[in-house]
Amino acid sequence: MSAAAGPQRAWRVAPGGSLRGELRVPGDKSISHRAVMLGALARGETRITGLLEGADVLATVGAFRQLGVAIEGPRQGAATIQGAGREGLRAPSAPLDVGNSGTSMRLLAGLLAGLPFEAVLTGDASLNRRPMGRVTEPLAAMGARIGTAEGGTAPLRLHAGGELHGIDYTLPVASAQVKSALLLAGLHAAGRTCVREPAPTRDHTERMLTGFGYPVAVQGRTACLDGGGALTATAVDVPGDLSSAAFLLVGASIAPGSELVLRHVGWNPTRTGAVTILRQMGADIEVLREGETSGEPVADLRVRSAPLHGIRIPEALVPLAIDEFPALLIAAACAEGETLLTGAEELRVKESDRIAVMAEGLRRLGVAAEPRADGLRLVGQPRLAGGVRLDSHGDHRIAMAFAVAALRAQAPVQVDDCENVGTSFPGFVSLMGQAGLEIQALPAAGA
Ligand code: S3P
């Protein structure tokens, strides 16, 4: 959610140094959203630990409070939800404003479609520009009645009623958000809902539905469920977010003399593409311990600095690393030789146009970066330019990627428009400080 102008709007990041220590990153954003949503839909008390207390997840919590669900917390990652089933949801008296959170908006569109009351979903300027037709169109095919702004964007007006029926749908783009929205709508649709994806995407919804006692049949790239069942409350432990860990994995890889251990990080195979890509570039990342929590794989990771080389990023890995490209492109900027990213046009419709915004920042850092319709080509540099000012365009992951770039810069780097970092990684500045990257928050007026 876009916070008001605050003391963290811009950062001055000290150049050079290394990252060392043993850390735990905040909870996984995708799993946190789903834990709150399924807890609210289930009957009984769901206890969550490790919940991400970032603005995006708090937006989901706030939306369910407006829908009449009693939620205690979150405090230090712990929250308790008293679910009363889907019938327990009440008409909200105001629009549900989910701020910057695409996951909240798309998943809630499916979860709330066909309810016997009207609800409006809205967000900040960035979210209200992002494509929503990819969820509203298949939901309409299931019988939902949803109004959009011109161009198929939010605000979304979910009209009361419209009995839902199951659908057999092939996703035109690989999107876990769309897959999840349709499966959540399918819970209360008549008959069977099947979603086929063109490439594997994160499967947290399928796993967590199973954990809440709701059968999901997964075969290859198709997930199916029968509507009309009920979810049973359970306990959910949320592992650390590999997407947040990515900034530390990249930072430690590019900063000579680094060694970090990251504990209890989500290690779901539909999320590990960034680590595969970094290893292909020569990164030294070791899995120390593997386990499982609440149906999700977890691991402790050790990363040490290593010389990186540019690669042609395999397109099959793109959906498995979709949120990590801002960080990965900083690794590529410090790698020897050329890196080529293709098949990644989805990056243009994330919290910002990540291809354009990264290309602009990389060029300021002295890296020849050539944006393309579906990706980017760049040639790495031994040192990045410093004394530059980089605009994150309000995109949390871009701001954090630019901050990490300072580890290889020759002079301080200023990163503007950083307030949205709190959507996914609250405490980023202090955690990076503990590891060895000095980030000074500048007052907005000094930015
Ligand atoms: C998410 C899915 C991805 C990802 C987003 C979180 C999710 O989006 O980029 O940050 O929790 O399902 P798409 O499914 O639209 O690619």
Side-chain angles (χ1 to χ4, degrees):
M1 212 177 295
S2 240
Q8 296 218 343
R9 274 196 61 179
W11 293 337
R12 182 179 184 278
V13 191
S18 57
L19 300 181
R20 300 191 71 83
E22 197 177 309
L23 304 168
R24 221 175 137 140
V25 294
D28 186 277
K29 182 155 74 75
S30 294
I31 299 174
S32 294
H33 280 298
R34 287 155 173 84
V36 173
M37 290 179 187
L38 299 195
L41 277 185
R43 286 190 176 280
E45 183 174 288
T46 288
R47 284 172 184 261
I48 309 173
T49 50
L51 189 79
L52 172 67
E53 292 181 55
D56 278 11
V57 174
L58 297 179
T60 292
V61 169
F64 280 103
R65 287 203 173 113
Q66 278 183 263
L67 291 160
V69 179
I71 303 177
E72 219 182 280
R75 256 184 305 277
Q76 289 168 353
T80 306
I81 304 179
Q82 307 295 341
R86 179 170 173 262
E87 310 69 48
L89 300 179
R90 297 284 165 262
S93 55
L96 305 171
D97 184 347
V98 295
N100 196 239
S101 179
T103 309
S104 308
M105 181 166 288
R106 295 199 177 109
L107 271 58
L108 281 172
L111 193 150
L112 299 176
L115 278 170
F117 53 76
E118 182 173 296
V120 174
L121 285 167
T122 190
D124 68 8
S126 149
L127 182 55
N128 286 354
R129 277 194 301 268
R130 294 178 64 187
M132 291 298 149
R134 54 179 64 191
V135 274
T136 58
E137 284 162 20
L139 287 172
M142 295 177 79
R145 296 187 303 122
I146 306 179
T148 68
E150 212 176 303
T153 53
L156 306 181
R157 186 172 293 273
L158 311 179
H159 296 286
E163 292 284 295
L164 301 189
H165 50 82
I167 189 177
D168 190 320
Y169 189 69
T170 302
L171 297 177
V173 287
S175 166
Q177 291 182 350
V178 180
K179 172 177 64 174
S180 301
L182 302 184
L183 291 176
L184 293 174
L187 293 176
H188 48 267
R192 195 166 178 82
T193 295
C194 289
V195 189
R196 296 165 207 283
E197 42 188 10
T201 65
R202 65 193 69 194
D203 64 357
H204 306 303
T205 303
E206 298 90 306
R207 285 174 187 260
M208 202 180 288
L209 280 169
T210 309
F212 276 80
Y214 206 104
V216 183
V218 179
Q219 250 195 343
R221 290 185 195 156
T222 306
C224 298
L225 55 76
D226 293 314
L231 279 75
T232 310
T234 186
V236 182
D237 172 50
V238 181
D241 199 327
L242 187 55
S243 297
S244 296
F247 299 102
L248 291 143
L249 296 174
V250 167
S253 295
I254 63 173
S258 297
E259 176 167 349
L260 280 176
V261 173
L262 306 175
R263 297 270 180 222
H264 201 63
V265 184
W267 194 240
N268 181 314
T270 60
R271 294 286 298 280
T272 53
V275 172
T276 309
I277 291 168
L278 282 171
R279 282 177 168 158
Q280 288 184 6
M281 298 174 81
D284 177 0
I285 300 170
E286 211 182 318
V287 178
L288 298 183
R289 200 162 54 128
E290 285 188 73
E292 198 179 290
T293 191
S294 302
E296 287 283 346
V298 287
D300 290 348
L301 304 178
R302 177 162 57 211
V303 54
R304 297 187 175 105
S305 42
L308 303 182
H309 53 84
I311 59 165
R312 190 186 178 107
I313 297 173
E315 288 194 5
L317 292 175
V318 169
L320 309 179
I322 194 66
D323 289 338
E324 286 71 73
F325 284 103
L328 289 171
L329 291 172
I330 296 302
C334 300
E336 196 186 328
E338 177 184 304
T339 290
L340 183 62
L341 169 64
T342 57
E345 51 273 66
E346 271 300 288
L347 295 180
R348 293 212 176 261
V349 291
K350 292 294 179 189
E351 286 82 332
S352 69
D353 176 344
R354 287 184 174 161
I355 293 174
V357 174
M358 284 305 296
E360 174 194 301
L362 287 166
R363 277 200 300 262
R364 286 180 182 231
L365 287 164
V367 176
E370 211 183 275
R372 298 185 170 185
D374 69 337
L376 193 135
R377 179 189 164 273
L378 63 79
V379 178
Q381 296 294 320
R383 301 294 288 171
L384 302 177
V388 293
R389 193 166 161 174
L390 307 172
D391 188 350
S392 71
H393 289 259
D395 186 326
H396 55 137
R397 299 199 202 280
I398 303 257
M400 292 185 275
F402 286 161
V404 161
L407 287 160
R408 283 283 279 269
Q410 294 165 9
V413 167
Q414 178 167 328
V415 187
D416 287 333
D417 207 358
C418 300
E419 65 269 25
N420 280 337
V421 166
T423 60
S424 67
F425 201 151
F428 175 78
V429 169
S430 67
L431 200 78
M432 292 311 283
Q434 272 175 48
L437 178 66
E438 198 194 309
I439 304 176
Q440 188 195 348
L442 300 176

